[in-house]
Amino acid sequence: MNNELIDLIKTRRSIRSFKSDKIPQEAIAQIIDVGIYAATAMNRQSPIIISVTNKEVRDRLSKLNAEIMGVKSDPFYGAPVVLIVLADKKCPNHVYDGSLVMGNLMLAAHALGIGSCWIHRAKEEFELPEGKEILESLGIKGEYEGIGHCVLGYVDGGYPEAPARKGNWVYHID
Ligand SMILES: Cc1cc2nc3c(=O)[nH]c(=O)nc-3n(C[C@H](O)[C@H](O)[C@H](O)COP(=O)(O)O)c2cc1C
C-alpha cells in the first residue's frame, strides 16, 4: 500500500554535504514542533531542544565537537542550523526520550525537503565548561545530558542511496 509517511521514513538519509543557504525560520519552527510531539516515557517530556542559527555559536560548537572527535574538519558538514537535543538526567528514560525527538526532527526536516544528519558527541560537549556555559546563558538549570545534534540544511550535490539492509534484522514467532 502506498503511504506518504512510510515513503518519507524510508527515503530519509543522513546528509553530509550542505549548502550554506539559510533555512526559513518558519521551517525550523515547524521541524522543532514535530520534535516536541515525540512520545516520552510516562509523558515526562524530559528533552529540551536548543536551536542554533547564530553562525558564531554554530562554529564554536563545531570546533568543540571536532576537538572531542580529534579531527580538524567540520563535523556539521557545513550545515547552517543545529538543533541540539538534551534530556533531563532525572528521568530514567531520558536517552530514549531524546533519541525519539532526534528521529522526529530528522523526519520532519525530510518532509519539508531539508537535509539532516544526527551528529553525535553532544554528551561530551555538554560535560565541558563551554557546553555548560551555553546552558547557563539560556537559564537552563538542572542536569541535562546531550543526546545529539540534528544538523539541518539544503542538500548540496546528490542524494545518498539507502545503505543495504543487513540480513538478520527480523525474527518471527508466529
Ligand atoms: C546515535 C547516532 C549517532 C550518529 N552520529 C553521527 C555522527 O557523529 N556523524 C555522522 O556523520 N553521522 C552520524 N550518524 C548517522 C549515521 O551514520 C547514519 O544514520 C547511518 O550511516 C545510516 O545512514 P542513513 O541515516 O542515511 O540511513 C549517527 C546516527 C545515530 C543514530
Side-chain angles (χ1 to χ4, degrees):
M1 241 196 314
N2 285 339
N3 178 286
E4 202 184 339
L5 177 60
I6 290 174
D7 289 345
L8 279 168
I9 292 170
K10 292 181 74 173
T11 57
R12 178 214 54 82
R13 296 275 68 81
S14 293
I15 301 304
R16 298 195 174 86
S17 184
F18 294 94
K19 295 179 179 163
S20 58
D21 304 21
K22 282 197 161 66
I23 301 175
Q25 200 52 51
E26 311 82 71
I28 300 171
Q30 217 177 345
I31 293 166
I32 291 171
D33 196 45
V34 176
I36 70 173
Y37 274 88
T40 59
M42 296 177 75
N43 189 33
R44 296 281 293 277
Q45 302 188 30
S46 68
I48 55 172
I49 301 169
I50 302 176
S51 169
V52 181
T53 54
N54 176 290
K55 188 168 172 355
E56 190 263 317
V57 177
R58 176 251 179 251
D59 290 348
R60 211 170 348 126
L61 286 167
S62 160
K63 196 161 165 279
L64 209 54
N65 202 285
E67 278 166 16
I68 294 164
M69 210 183 355
V71 299
K72 294 232 177 294
S73 55
D74 173 18
F76 299 161
Y77 306 110
V81 177
V82 184
L83 303 181
I84 311 160
V85 176
L86 301 101
D88 190 341
K89 288 190 201 173
K90 276 204 310 289
C91 301
N93 291 302
H94 67 283
V95 177
Y96 303 103
D97 292 346
S99 299
L100 206 49
V101 172
M102 287 290 294
N104 272 22
L105 295 175
M106 293 189 289
L107 288 174
H110 182 45
L112 298 181
I114 293 165
S116 73
C117 192
W118 179 318
I119 306 300
H120 221 38
R121 296 164 294 281
K123 181 177 190 298
E124 295 82 348
E125 226 169 78
F126 287 89
E127 282 166 356
L128 293 173
E130 294 94 324
K132 288 189 193 298
E133 258 170 46
I134 292 176
L135 300 184
E136 265 170 39
S137 74
L138 293 167
I140 298 166
K141 301 209 185 332
E143 286 293 307
Y144 280 86
E145 178 169 332
I147 306 298
H149 311 77
C150 178
V151 298
L152 300 174
Y154 292 107
V155 181
D156 191 17
Y159 196 80
E161 294 272 324
R165 299 296 98 180
K166 65 175 185 172
N168 55 341
W169 258 101
V170 187
Y171 297 85
H172 293 277
I173 301 176
D174 294 323

